[in-house]
Amino acid sequence: MTMGDVELDITGMTCASCATRIERKLNRLPGVEATVNYATGKARVRGDDVDPAALIATVESAGYQAALPAPPVADAPDDGTEPVDLELVSLRRRLLISAALSVPVALMSMIPALQFEYWQWLALTLTAPVAVWGAWPFHRAAAINARHGAATMDTLISVGVTAAFGWSLFALFFGGAGVPGMTMTFTLIGAPQAGGDEIYLEVAALVTVFLLAGRYAEARARKSSSEALRALLELGARDAVRLVDGVEQCIPVDQLAVGDTVLVRPGEKIPSDGLVVDGSSAVDASMLTGESVPVEVGVGSRVVGATVNVGGRLVVEITRVGADTELARMRRLMEDAQTGKARVQRLADRVSAVFVPVVILLSIAAFVGWMIAGGSLELAFTAAVATLIIACPCALGLATPTALLVGTGRGSQMGILIRGPQVLEQTHDVDVIVLDKTGTVTTGTMAVSAVRPAPGVSGEELLASAAAAVESGSEHPVARAVVAEVGAVAPADTFDSRAGLGVQGMVGGSLVVAGRPSWLQEQWGIRVDDNLQQEAGALADGGATVVAVGRDGSPLGLIAVADTVKPTSVEAIARFRALGMTPVLLTGDNDGAARHIAAQVGIDEVRSGVTPAGKLDAVRRLQEQGHTVAMVGDGVNDAAALAAADLGIAMGGGTDAAIAASDITVVSGDLLVVADAVRLARRTLRTIKGNLFWAFAYNVAAIPVAMAGLLNPLVAAAAMALSSVFVVTNSLRLRGFRPIPSSSSAVADDARTPARL
């Protein structure tokens, strides 16, 4: 967390209106920009010279509690048990006791056969603890907010339960409801009856039980949907074996420093990010990337902390520790995503802020209206209480946070890191996806693409006996590609390099030279025949680097080395099209190389020879043409374009600058996962919109019905609780999101009409 960026843990919030109220209070402080998330119980505050003490005091002045997050305990014992959630325990106990007391009250009130002579007084005895102690969280929150001149969803609940219980007390002690032999029947709708002879004890009791059940379900859902983040925090290794002058030292991971060398045995977690300096193995990175196949690593390979060494012994030099590691970066991205708010959520917050006062006025209007219209006191009271209860917009406050928590959590399990909720809205309208070439569409690693021996020379003689032997002494990417094609090779007896031209050396008593064709001709008088020259021109036009090889003054042939297309790029491009996005290849390479790669993967639109500034201009031109642009890249030269694009997607193996400028990070660097990231983001957005539609439609449809006296308060309470459960359950469906198998191209559920450039 940087200076001017403060996170607070907020307690005491009971609904989205509470979060909105705290957010308003914090944003009134000079130079402060605050976001409060009810689902995560956190506030993120940005500003210059932010004073945490002032922020905490402001939250407390609003009637809630705030504290800075407790620092992690590095040496906390792990006994395999989960920490106890006191909120869940308290809610469960309150719910179970209230339900046990309320069931007899409900049965007696609804079934006349169970109504013995003084049943109503037993009902009162059982209901009183429920209406007072069971509903205490609602009463307490309503009282706190009332002291601060605010009304929240708890106000509606508290007023409704208190009104039902208070009316019942009045009817029992001062009306005709307390007489021996009084009977009642249950109705779904209000009906003109003698108000002084009716009691609402079952309403006060069961409304409390239904709402406690809804709140318990919400708390369970928030806990469940945050499991991915908690699991992510627990992925890292706890201990490391540091090598000091060949001596092994077992130390806590937090004592590692950059430059330390650690030993990782088979089956152990790599303690932190680093480079392999000795040994070779396979590393299981599925916990970070979602890839099930272990990755082969050797000397010089980059490894990430928390991944598991499943093969041989590795010695790793640590390059990143603590907050700079890949795991820590993933955690920050997830926390940012789950704390921020999208435009749709801000709309819901504004509605919640004015909804409660409006509902109270509507409840009063329903009561007064029925009295003026000549309805009975009982019917007017029924309409007023039902309006208060049915209108509680709990579902409205849960619609976005729960879906966002589940969606980003599922993304992290797949190696997809979504930076913030606004990203979800950006994915919906994307119709052009701009792709960097090297490291994005291609592997970024040179490999031999063609071997063209001269007449009378075999391919093995050209490649293994001559070129690989002399190139084995060079560290140039082209030389490494040639050697990798052959594998084990005996090095040249002597070696010399000419920067930018080629190499030479003695191999088996013969002088072998390899390099630019022009260098071989001008320096050594070695010239390939016309057919090979024409083929060299064609290979170069296709983006390959052509190496000519000669021995003792005679040509041996040509070797072409080129960047290779990633195995999944062709299918990924097809999926982009099916998702309604037109792919555009944007690269600094020459036009021939760019078009050769584009043809291989099925991209029609190519922009080649562009500088980093040119990439930025290209993105902006597409936006000026009315397109919503996604940009995928991995290098420093892509960072500006990634930041300018409507949706920036960074490949996980890329530079920090590219990842910092992006909205989504794909840890594995696989283009197929980019398509899955877009699908997941769109699916999450659709879930949020579905939740919001349900919440809005539910209240709009139900409030007039309740005001008309057509809804029993008991039914209203059950319906309101079920609406919250529906929203939470609908959000949890995102946990079942699955990537499309690589052999399939079925993306019909997310298909959109492709754009035309």
Side-chain angles (χ1 to χ4, degrees):
M1 193 91 45
T2 59
M3 286 298 293
D5 192 347
V6 177
E7 186 177 277
L8 297 175
D9 289 332
I10 308 293
T11 55
M13 292 192 297
T14 56
C15 64
S17 297
C18 300
T20 303
R21 185 158 163 264
I22 296 171
E23 192 172 283
R24 268 202 316 269
K25 283 266 190 181
L26 289 172
N27 282 321
R28 287 174 186 163
L29 296 174
V32 165
E33 179 184 347
T35 299
V36 180
N37 192 308
Y38 165 56
T40 59
K42 292 184 181 296
R44 177 64 56 83
V45 184
R46 292 181 172 86
D48 297 329
D49 300 323
V50 176
D51 181 8
L55 299 177
I56 293 173
T58 301
V59 174
E60 291 176 347
S61 71
Y64 305 88
Q65 296 79 48
L68 294 172
V73 181
D75 56 353
D78 185 7
D79 57 4
T81 61
E82 293 186 5
V84 176
D85 190 319
L86 296 179
E87 179 191 11
L88 276 177
V89 171
S90 174
L91 273 174
R92 182 168 58 244
R93 181 174 61 248
R94 203 176 293 268
L95 171 61
L96 292 176
I97 294 175
S98 297
L101 295 173
S102 299
V103 169
V105 176
L107 293 176
M108 287 188 293
S109 300
M110 297 179 185
I111 304 175
L114 299 178
Q115 295 171 0
F116 53 89
E117 189 171 6
Y118 289 105
W119 72 271
Q120 66 269 44
W121 297 101
L122 175 61
L124 174 63
T125 303
L126 295 174
T127 301
V130 179
V132 177
W133 175 79
W136 180 249
F138 308 114
H139 298 323
R140 180 179 179 277
I144 290 174
N145 285 292
R147 284 204 305 269
H148 293 87
T152 67
M153 286 175 263
D154 292 295
T155 305
L156 299 182
I157 298 169
S158 178
V159 170
V161 171
T162 302
F165 186 65
W167 176 265
S168 299
L169 290 176
F170 172 81
L172 284 169
F173 287 99
F174 302 104
V179 299
M182 189 274 285
T183 60
M184 283 178 50
T185 56
F186 175 75
T187 58
L188 292 176
I189 63 173
Q193 298 177 44
D197 295 335
E198 293 294 321
I199 58 175
Y200 285 92
L201 293 175
E202 84 282 6
V203 172
L206 289 185
V207 162
T208 300
V209 170
F210 285 142
L211 296 175
L212 283 173
R215 186 150 293 181
Y216 179 71
E218 293 168 16
R220 282 288 302 269
R222 291 200 301 270
K223 184 175 186 292
S224 174
S225 59
S226 299
E227 283 178 355
L229 179 57
R230 288 197 302 274
L232 184 64
L233 301 181
E234 296 169 359
L235 284 180
R238 294 181 178 273
D239 300 309
V241 178
R242 182 170 59 186
L243 297 177
V244 180
D245 298 328
V247 178
E248 298 181 9
Q249 297 179 348
C250 186
I251 62 170
V253 166
D254 59 0
Q255 293 183 16
L256 285 176
V258 174
D260 283 349
T261 302
V262 297
L263 172 65
V264 186
R265 297 183 175 89
E268 294 180 343
K269 289 183 179 180
I270 295 172
S272 194
D273 298 0
L275 291 173
V276 177
V277 295
D278 186 36
S280 61
S281 181
V283 172
D284 180 4
S286 58
M287 62 184 66
L288 294 178
T289 66
E291 295 293 330
S292 58
V293 179
V295 179
E296 297 294 331
V297 298
V299 175
S301 297
R302 174 177 172 264
V303 290
V304 177
T307 55
V308 180
N309 176 19
V310 296
R313 176 182 182 275
L314 292 176
V315 177
V316 178
E317 180 183 343
I318 300 301
T319 57
R320 290 177 179 170
V321 295
D324 296 327
T325 62
E326 187 82 14
L327 188 65
R329 180 167 59 188
M330 290 176 67
R331 182 191 65 191
R332 288 194 299 271
L333 287 173
M334 284 188 63
E335 288 177 340
D336 288 345
Q338 295 180 351
T339 304
K341 292 186 181 180
R343 290 192 299 271
V344 290
Q345 172 65 10
R346 294 193 179 277
L347 172 62
D349 288 346
R350 288 196 297 270
V351 171
S352 294
V354 300
F355 196 79
V356 174
V358 170
V359 167
I360 292 176
L361 292 176
L362 290 176
S363 176
I364 295 172
F367 182 86
V368 174
W370 274 108
M371 295 301 296
I372 294 175
S376 69
L377 184 61
E378 184 267 348
L379 183 56
F381 181 76
T382 297
V385 173
T387 301
L388 284 174
I389 295 171
I390 198 73
C392 290
C394 295
L396 191 63
L398 290 169
T400 296
T402 53
L404 186 62
L405 281 168
V406 180
T408 54
R410 179 66 186 119
S412 72
Q413 293 172 340
M414 298 170 57
I416 300 168
L417 305 181
I418 301 174
R419 182 173 296 277
Q422 69 282 354
V423 172
L424 304 177
E425 292 166 326
Q426 292 161 202
T427 62
H428 180 262
D429 298 319
V430 168
D431 59 355
V432 173
I433 183 164
V434 177
L435 304 163
D436 173 50
K437 181 178 76 69
T438 306
T440 301
V441 175
T442 67
T443 62
T445 303
M446 305 293 277
V448 173
S449 60
V451 178
R452 300 291 185 264
V457 179
S458 68
E460 182 179 356
E461 182 183 1
L462 165 62
L463 190 60
S465 302
V470 74
E471 293 280 20
S472 64
S474 173
E475 291 299 320
H476 192 278
V478 171
R480 289 202 297 268
V482 172
V483 175
E485 183 72 13
V486 175
V489 62
D493 299 322
T494 63
F495 174 80
D496 191 20
S497 174
R498 297 288 187 269
L501 298 174
V503 296
Q504 64 188 68
M506 298 300 295
V507 179
S510 298
L511 177 64
V512 176
V513 293
R516 292 178 181 269
S518 59
W519 181 60
L520 265 68
Q521 182 173 343
E522 295 169 4
Q523 180 70 27
W524 305 97
I526 300 173
R527 181 179 182 277
V528 296
D529 62 31
D530 293 341
N531 290 334
L532 283 180
Q533 282 192 6
Q534 291 178 2
E535 196 156 0
L539 290 169
D541 290 341
T545 299
V546 179
V547 178
V549 183
R551 182 174 58 194
D552 292 335
S554 300
L556 293 179
L558 304 174
I559 298 173
V561 177
D563 193 359
T564 54
V565 172
K566 290 181 178 179
T568 57
S569 291
V570 174
E571 187 174 355
I573 299 303
R575 290 192 186 179
F576 294 152
R577 293 187 186 279
L579 288 167
M581 299 183 291
T582 300
V584 176
L585 190 66
L586 192 63
T587 177
D589 269 1
N590 64 71
D591 191 62
R595 294 196 178 278
H596 178 72
I597 294 296
Q600 289 186 60
V601 298
I603 297 177
D604 301 324
E605 186 74 18
V606 179
R607 313 283 174 89
S608 59
V610 293
T611 63
K615 290 185 177 183
L616 175 61
D617 291 339
V619 168
R620 286 178 173 167
R621 280 198 300 271
L622 287 168
Q623 291 170 328
E624 290 169 359
Q625 294 169 11
H627 297 292
T628 303
V629 181
M631 169 74 189
V632 185
D634 71 330
V636 173
N637 60 339
D638 301 318
L642 285 168
D646 299 285
L647 179 68
I649 304 174
M651 308 303 269
T655 63
D656 290 341
I659 292 173
S662 66
D663 300 305
I664 295 176
T665 299
V666 174
V667 176
S668 67
D670 186 348
L671 268 184
L672 279 180
V673 184
V674 173
D676 288 330
V678 174
R679 288 178 54 244
L680 174 61
R682 288 181 177 177
R683 184 80 57 85
T684 305
L685 180 62
R686 285 204 303 270
T687 300
I688 290 173
K689 289 185 174 181
N691 287 347
L692 289 172
F693 171 79
W694 168 258
F696 277 116
Y698 167 81
N699 284 302
V700 169
I703 289 176
V705 176
M707 292 181 68
L710 300 177
L711 204 59
N712 186 294
L714 191 60
V715 178
M720 192 278 289
L722 287 174
S723 71
S724 294
V725 173
F726 170 84
V727 163
V728 170
T729 304
N730 190 45
S731 298
L732 289 174
R733 289 172 57 240
L734 286 168
R735 297 172 70 177
F737 179 88
R738 295 288 183 272
I740 298 175
S742 60
S743 58
S744 169
S745 60
V747 287
D749 64 324
D750 293 284
R752 293 162 48 85
T753 303
R756 297 185 179 274
L757 293 179

